[in-house]
């Protein structure tokens, strides 16, 4: 048999084990939505988020770190989605507090390469994963190749599907995902503690290294960053001029798409939001969905001919970079839990020195399945992490009878019936947007032109 065959089988079994857990949880809430969700929270959350397990996993990770003699070359391995690639920067930033001169490489999804690639704290961005929810055999092979050839002193895994044996023959210098997961879920159990994945990941690095390595840099961590190529900013400027949007117009951007049906804002709710937003007389940029564009088409067909005049449906084949540039030009960005939401919440920078970006986008997110305090951004509610923008962030949690701890992994859920958005308070969302546009920014808004002040 080929070298690595049995190892590959072991790791595929790990993937199957994780998948089977979430399939079982989905079956329980399919059959018993309310009782099933309570059962899962009562049985899984006290164990997975217990103080004892969190301490045990963290102590185990600290023992691994304590054995490492040097930290000259470090590899951080992201989970597989765009949002996960952005999250990983929080770990890089934390590690830089201790190892400012080390080489730090980041293995991420291919789709996120240009958005993350401009981060000056990362030496090498390694776009190796295909971006599917579950790693393929090619993903496993690519990871093993990078880890083996890189000869890293320290490897940190942020993906639940990768076991330590995926990295190299010697696993003594690999800190697995389990220890961070235990710290995160422990924070989720505590109502007053900020349990956002970005905040907790940065905190986790300090818990991991505190007392083991000297902290050489002390600076406030404000959140994620994202890089927008200047060429994409130019494309966005041309597009806005083409559709007749001027530099002083207030722009609302609405992205109804998401990676799963459990986080995608339902069609009828999107239509309600658009119809109420039209009263604000602001141009609305509507995402058509990254795919065949049918999502945007169906939404437009639900509007009257008069209503369609106020909505501009974006092309479905728009690049992620140009889409991100349009976010930066927008005053308000409305979305579900998705990768672009984290780009909207991140402090955006250009890949060209001195090129201006606004960073004044208010993020309004509507959450279905996934836990909002763990992934969303909010400037007002206690326990939430605010966006890294010169603007508000607000989160609206839909009513759901079956939301539970297993919904944290939306890509692994297999529920037959989608009950994640039973009710959304559309009036409150639109009222909050109107209040922001009318009162908060009127005195100091910046026009959108090529001479805009660089606020990055």
């Amino acid at each position: 048999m080929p070298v690595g065959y049995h190892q590959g089988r072991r790791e595929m079994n790990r993937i199957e084990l994780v998948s089977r857990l979430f399939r079982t949880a989905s079956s329980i809430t399919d059959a018993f939505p309310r009782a099933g969700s309570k059962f899962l929270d009562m049985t899984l959350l006290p164990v997975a988020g217990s103080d004892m397990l969190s301490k045990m996993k963290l102590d185990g990770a600290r023992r691994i770190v304590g054995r490492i003699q040097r930290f000259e070359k470090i590899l951080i391995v992201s989970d597989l989605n765009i949002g996960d690639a952005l999250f990983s920067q929080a770990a890089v930033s934390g590690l830089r507090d201790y190892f400012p001169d080390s080489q730090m490489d980041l293995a991420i999804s291919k789709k996120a390469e240009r958005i993350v690639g401009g981060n000056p704290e990362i030496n090498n961005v390694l776009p190796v994963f295909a971006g599917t929810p579950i790693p393929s055999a090619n993903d496993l092979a690519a990871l093993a190749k990078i880890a083996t050839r890189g000869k890293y002193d320290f490897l940190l895994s942020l993906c639940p599907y990768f076991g330590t044996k995926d990295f190299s023959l010697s696993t003594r210098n690999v800190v697995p995902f389990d220890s961070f997961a235990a710290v995160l879920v422990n924070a989720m159990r505590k109502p007053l503690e900020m349990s956002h994945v970005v905040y907790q990941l940065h905190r986790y690095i300090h818990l991991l290294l505190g007392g083991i390595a000297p902290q050489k840099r002390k600076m406030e961590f404000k959140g994620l960053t994202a890089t927008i190529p200047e060429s994409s900013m130019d494309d966005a400027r041309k597009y806005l001029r083409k559709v007749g949007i001027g530099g002083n117009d207030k722009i609302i951007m609405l992205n109804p798409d998401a990676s799963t049906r459990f986080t995608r804002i339902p069609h009828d709710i999107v239509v309600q939001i658009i119809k109420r937003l039209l009263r604000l007389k602001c141009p609305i940029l509507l995402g058509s969905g990254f795919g065949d564009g049918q999502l945007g088409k169906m939404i437009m067909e639900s509007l009257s001919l008069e209503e369609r005049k106020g909505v501009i449906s974006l092309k479905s084949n728009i690049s992620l970079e140009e889409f991100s540039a349009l976010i930066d030009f927008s005053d308000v960005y409305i979305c579900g839990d998705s990768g672009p939401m984290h780009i909207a919440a991140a402090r955006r920078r250009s890949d060209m020195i001195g090129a201006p970006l606004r960073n004044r986008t208010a993020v309004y997110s509507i959450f279905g399945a996934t836990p909002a305090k763990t992934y969303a951004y909010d400037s007002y509610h206690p326990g939430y992490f605010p966006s890294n923008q010169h603007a508000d962030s607000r989160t609206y949690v839909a009513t759901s009878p079956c939301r539970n701890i297993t919904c944290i992994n939306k890509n692994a859920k297999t529920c037959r019936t989608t009950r994640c958005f039973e009710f959304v308070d559309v009036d409150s969302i639109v009222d909050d947007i109107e209040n922001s546009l009318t009162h908060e920014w009127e005195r100091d808004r910046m026009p959108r032109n090529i001479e805009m002040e660089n606020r990055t």
Side-chain angles (χ1 to χ4, degrees), residues 15-182:
I15 293 171
E16 177 57 29
L17 183 64
V18 173
S19 300
R20 189 174 298 172
L21 168 66
F22 285 95
R23 287 199 302 269
T24 301
S26 299
S27 298
I28 291 172
T29 52
D30 262 332
F32 311 101
R34 288 180 171 80
S37 65
K38 290 180 180 178
F39 169 76
L40 291 170
D41 281 343
M42 289 174 62
T43 54
L44 297 179
L45 194 54
V47 176
S50 68
D51 292 342
M52 183 176 68
L53 181 63
S54 176
K55 183 179 184 305
M56 182 180 72
K57 291 290 186 181
L58 183 60
D59 287 347
R62 283 174 58 84
R63 283 194 294 272
I64 295 172
V65 173
R67 292 195 297 260
I68 299 174
Q69 298 299 312
R70 61 180 186 177
F71 294 85
E72 294 178 4
K73 292 187 67 177
I74 299 173
L75 176 65
I76 302 99
V77 180
S78 166
D79 206 346
L80 306 180
N81 295 311
I82 293 171
D84 300 313
L86 288 160
F87 298 157
S88 302
Q89 297 177 101
V92 174
S93 181
L95 287 165
R96 282 289 176 209
D97 291 342
Y98 292 87
F99 311 115
D101 301 318
S102 297
Q103 175 182 322
M104 290 195 195
D105 298 346
L106 178 62
I108 61 170
S109 165
K110 295 175 182 178
K111 297 177 182 178
E113 178 181 8
R114 297 187 75 186
I115 296 296
V116 175
N119 188 330
E121 293 191 319
I122 304 171
N123 293 97
N124 298 295
V125 170
L126 308 173
V128 293
F129 304 132
T132 53
I134 296 175
S136 65
N138 288 337
D139 290 332
L140 292 166
L143 176 60
K145 182 178 179 180
I146 288 171
T148 301
R149 292 187 177 182
K151 297 181 179 178
Y152 292 98
D153 303 312
F154 173 43
L155 300 94
L156 175 66
S157 175
L158 302 177
C159 179
Y161 293 107
F162 295 137
T164 55
K165 294 185 182 300
D166 280 316
F167 292 89
S168 63
L169 294 177
S170 173
T171 60
R172 290 175 59 82
N173 59 348
V174 179
V175 171
F177 171 78
D178 299 0
S179 59
F180 170 61

Side-chain angles (χ1 to χ4, degrees), residues 194 196 198-199 220-225 327 330-333 335 340-348 359-365 372-373 375-381 383-395 441:
M194 187 178 292
H196 197 280
V198 171
Y199 172 86
E220 182 183 2
F221 177 68
K222 294 184 178 180
L224 302 176
T225 64
I327 291 176
S330 301
D331 292 287
V332 169
Y333 181 75
C335 58
M341 176 191 70
H342 302 293
I343 296 173
R347 180 61 55 88
R348 296 177 290 273
N359 282 300
R360 293 177 66 86
T361 305
V363 181
Y364 288 75
S365 57
K373 283 183 64 180
Y375 293 110
Y377 302 86
D378 198 292
S379 305
Y380 296 95
H381 289 92
Y384 278 78
F385 193 57
S387 71
N388 198 7
Q389 289 284 293
H390 299 298
D392 291 340
S393 50
R394 290 178 181 265
T395 296
W441 305 338

Side-chain angles (χ1 to χ4, degrees), residues 101-325:
D101 301 318
S102 297
Q103 175 182 322
M104 290 195 195
D105 298 346
L106 178 62
I108 61 170
S109 165
K110 295 175 182 178
K111 297 177 182 178
E113 178 181 8
R114 297 187 75 186
I115 296 296
V116 175
N119 188 330
E121 293 191 319
I122 304 171
N123 293 97
N124 298 295
V125 170
L126 308 173
V128 293
F129 304 132
T132 53
I134 296 175
S136 65
N138 288 337
D139 290 332
L140 292 166
L143 176 60
K145 182 178 179 180
I146 288 171
T148 301
R149 292 187 177 182
K151 297 181 179 178
Y152 292 98
D153 303 312
F154 173 43
L155 300 94
L156 175 66
S157 175
L158 302 177
C159 179
Y161 293 107
F162 295 137
T164 55
K165 294 185 182 300
D166 280 316
F167 292 89
S168 63
L169 294 177
S170 173
T171 60
R172 290 175 59 82
N173 59 348
V174 179
V175 171
F177 171 78
D178 299 0
S179 59
F180 170 61
V183 169
L184 177 64
V185 178
N186 180 256
M188 291 174 64
R189 287 191 64 211
K190 301 171 181 177
L192 298 181
E193 185 164 341
M194 187 178 292
S195 59
H196 197 280
V197 62
V198 171
Y199 172 86
Q200 285 295 331
L201 183 51
H202 188 268
R203 172 177 174 265
Y204 167 72
I205 297 299
H206 284 259
L207 292 174
L208 187 64
L209 295 172
I212 294 176
Q215 184 176 347
K216 298 180 180 179
R217 183 182 74 170
K218 294 186 178 181
M219 58 186 294
E220 182 183 2
F221 177 68
K222 294 184 178 180
L224 302 176
T225 64
T227 302
I228 313 296
E230 182 59 23
S231 59
S232 299
M233 294 298 294
D234 283 338
D235 290 340
R237 292 186 187 95
K238 292 173 185 175
Y239 179 79
L240 293 176
R241 289 195 295 267
K242 178 182 177 181
V243 298
I245 295 178
N248 290 312
D249 288 328
K250 299 173 183 177
I251 301 174
I252 298 172
M253 190 171 178
L254 195 161
N255 177 27
D257 203 6
S259 60
T260 74
R261 57 190 168 94
F262 308 115
T263 52
R264 187 178 300 120
I265 308 172
H267 175 88
D268 60 323
I269 295 174
V270 174
V271 173
Q272 290 179 50
I273 291 173
I274 291 175
K275 286 176 177 288
R276 286 167 173 77
L277 285 174
L278 287 170
R279 76 188 187 204
L280 304 183
K281 307 299 182 184
C282 300
I284 300 172
L285 301 178
L286 175 65
S288 296
F290 292 95
D292 58 9
Q294 291 302 307
L295 184 59
K297 181 180 178 182
M298 290 188 295
I299 292 169
M300 293 295 281
E301 289 175 348
S302 299
L303 303 175
S304 68
L305 292 176
E306 185 63 28
E307 289 169 336
R308 293 178 200 176
K309 294 178 182 178
V311 182
I312 301 162
S313 183
L314 302 176
K315 57 187 179 182
S316 60
N317 62 347
I318 187 172
S319 69
L320 178 63
E321 293 80 17
E322 185 179 350
F323 191 88
S324 303

